[in-house]
Amino acid sequence: MVGFHKPATLAEALALLADEDARPLSGGQTLVPMLNQGVVQPSLIVSLGRLRELRGITRLAGGAVRIGAMATHAEIATSTLFEAGQTLMPRTAVQIADPAVRAAGTIGGSCAFGDPTADWPVTLCACGALIELASAAGRREVPATDFFQHYLQTELQTGELVTAVTIPPLAGRGVYRKFARVYGDNATVSVAVILDVDVDVAVEAGRCRFVRLAVGSVGPRPIRLTAVEDSLVGRMLDAAAAEAAGAALAAEADPLDDLRGSAAYKRRILPRLVQRTLLEGINP
Amino acid sequence: MIDITLKVNGSEQACRVDGMTTLLTVLREQLLLTGSKRGCDYGICGACSVLADGRLARSCLLLAADCEDRAITTIEGVAEPDRLTDLQQALVDAGAVQCGFCTPGIVLALEALLDVDPKPDETAVRTALGGNLCRCSGYGAIVDAALKVAHG
């Protein structure tokens, strides 16, 4: 027997979630299949469906965007509040799973699951997002690059809930490329780029002013190398430079052999996918 | 067990559920609305699709106890009894139904699309069907039917 509560306030929800056998229910697109398959057996399910403070997307003074943990992928995909490099967010959201999952699944739920083959971890690392956590003991913010730690392991402690994700102001434009076996599948390899360039159309290249580059689904957590980003800034970004950046990331990749492809295959397609994503940032 | 009231196809239904009972289980086993099919039971096949507040949803991924404030439409509720919607008739006319197991979910996925995009192009139709598996025939006749009902 599993209990069910749908509290009206966040404080009440956090008090219930202090029990380590309780699980929060957001959009249900991960928790419910795990329940159906017997992978998790909580004593209590705490629905977050009535908590207004977890909803909505708002633009803050200064240009950051705060996304409530209960915002669905579909809401993020259609939001017009993301500007410049922040457009990586809707461009990622529209590629998550399929329409039914996008309509129900939430960014907070996806973060809390911490699946490195999912789309949000790699994009949030590229954005330098902050993930806001709350528990009965208080609140804290954790950078996405620290939050996602290992396969299905995050910084979340017992009793903590993801309450919001904040995207800082970012220059340029966002591009997300996901290589998957079929529409709707998790990524075999994914690449998230935020790029601001002075484009020289004649040579199909551009001088890089700002770049954020992360790859996902090729190891236990997203890979973002600030040394690679720094090496690109101020340089002409052409096909060769873009592929070299991909090769540097592939050298750090630690993919698994799994049903989405062999580790060798993922390592091989990664540099080219990075190259294509960066070039799409130059020539949209 | 928890006593809940669900609003399904316009009528209120009293049900008794466990916290982890899915909406699909309640629809099929308590309300005997067996048009929603249990294919995979973990959100991959789309055969259990319903509309929740007008939006496409997988009933195997909704907990019944979490649905009290939502208006649920199942395949049994999309048309008047003994009538077909234009889309359903188009699927029949196009020969888009073989074993029929996926068809209720396909109908709801396409009705959800046509509700927000009455004149979809082929890409939009295929995207809308992205979460619905058909293992009989492929999707050609299904896509043809959707385009026909939208564009004549």
Side-chain angles (χ1 to χ4, degrees):
Chain A
M1 300 289 276
V2 179
F4 185 91
H5 274 287
K6 198 164 185 173
T9 68
L10 181 58
E12 198 182 339
L14 294 174
L16 291 165
L17 289 168
D19 176 351
E20 67 176 351
D21 290 326
R23 287 289 176 279
L25 174 68
S26 181
Q29 305 299 288
T30 299
L31 179 62
V32 181
M34 293 177 87
L35 291 170
N36 292 354
Q37 297 193 305
V39 179
V40 290
Q41 289 165 320
S43 60
L44 178 67
I45 292 165
V46 181
S47 170
L48 309 177
R50 289 170 69 192
L51 306 182
R52 292 196 165 277
E53 54 265 70
L54 299 188
R55 295 193 179 273
I57 305 172
T58 47
R59 198 164 178 83
L60 308 177
V65 176
R66 186 177 191 275
I67 306 162
M70 291 284 284
T72 63
H73 312 313
E75 286 172 62
I76 296 167
T78 55
S79 171
T80 56
L81 294 176
F82 299 98
E83 292 183 356
Q86 295 168 335
T87 54
L88 179 60
M89 294 297 294
R91 287 180 178 143
T92 299
V94 77
Q95 295 184 52
I96 295 173
D98 56 60
V101 171
R102 288 196 289 275
T106 67
I107 190 169
S110 177
C111 287
F113 188 45
D115 180 351
T117 71
D119 300 286
W120 285 131
V122 59
T123 278
L124 294 180
C125 286
C127 287
L130 292 174
I131 298 180
E132 182 189 287
L133 311 178
S135 70
R139 284 177 188 258
R140 61 186 180 127
E141 278 193 320
V142 180
T145 43
D146 296 334
F147 180 81
F148 299 106
Q149 296 183 341
H150 212 271
Y151 292 101
L152 311 188
Q153 288 178 25
T154 70
E155 172 65 18
L156 273 174
Q157 306 298 313
T158 298
E160 271 189 320
L161 183 70
V162 175
T163 49
V165 173
T166 304
I167 309 299
L170 293 159
R173 62 192 301 274
V175 186
Y176 184 69
R177 280 220 180 204
K178 171 180 179 175
F179 183 83
R181 297 172 302 167
V182 293
Y183 179 89
D185 193 17
N186 286 36
T188 302
V189 176
S190 61
V191 180
V193 161
I194 299 162
L195 186 61
D196 188 27
V197 285
D198 276 322
V199 176
D200 184 339
V201 176
V203 294
E204 291 192 341
R207 190 167 298 281
C208 179
R209 284 188 291 234
F210 173 81
V211 65
R212 292 281 180 269
L213 170 60
V215 294
S217 206
V218 286
R221 49 191 290 181
I223 300 171
R224 182 182 153 196
L225 299 177
T226 51
V228 171
E229 294 172 356
D230 292 345
S231 75
L232 293 172
V233 173
R235 282 187 49 199
M236 287 303 283
L237 186 53
D238 56 11
E243 188 162 15
L249 287 160
E252 293 293 314
D254 183 21
L256 294 176
D257 289 314
D258 63 17
L259 77 175
R260 296 194 174 92
S262 68
Y265 175 69
K266 294 174 192 174
R267 267 205 195 85
R268 182 159 178 188
I269 61 176
L270 176 57
R272 193 56 65 85
L273 194 67
V274 169
Q275 181 195 45
R276 286 185 188 173
T277 312
L278 281 166
L279 294 180
E280 188 181 336
I282 299 170
N283 299 302
Chain B
M1 301 295 272
I2 308 153
D3 290 310
I4 60 170
T5 304
L6 295 176
K7 191 172 175 192
V8 180
N9 298 332
S11 68
E12 301 213 330
Q13 306 278 356
C15 308
R16 176 164 285 196
V17 299
D18 182 77
M20 63 176 278
T21 306
T22 63
L23 177 63
L24 176 63
T25 295
V26 171
L27 293 174
R28 290 183 59 84
E29 297 174 18
Q30 293 191 32
L31 305 181
L32 305 182
L33 296 170
T34 54
S36 303
K37 304 305 184 194
R38 193 188 305 275
C40 67
D41 216 24
Y42 66 101
I44 299 298
C45 76
C48 69
S49 297
V50 298
L51 302 180
D53 293 331
R55 284 197 294 268
L56 189 66
R58 304 222 200 285
S59 62
C60 79
L61 296 190
L62 294 174
L63 294 184
D66 204 34
C67 290
E68 283 199 288
D69 47 1
R70 299 181 206 190
I72 305 297
T73 304
T74 70
I75 189 65
E76 291 87 351
V78 299
E80 297 296 313
D82 301 320
R83 301 197 56 156
L84 297 179
T85 64
D86 292 345
L87 171 68
Q88 288 173 312
Q89 188 62 54
L91 287 164
V92 172
D93 294 343
V97 179
Q98 286 197 27
C99 86
F101 193 84
C102 73
T103 307
I106 298 267
V107 168
L108 287 160
L110 290 173
E111 294 286 6
L113 169 70
L114 295 171
D115 190 46
V116 296
D117 183 3
K119 299 284 178 191
D121 62 14
E122 184 176 338
T123 302
V125 170
R126 288 186 178 274
T127 300
L129 293 173
N132 294 78
L133 297 183
C134 166
R135 297 290 84 152
C136 289
S137 64
Y139 302 89
I142 297 168
V143 172
D144 290 346
L147 292 172
K148 182 122 192 258
V149 78
H151 300 280

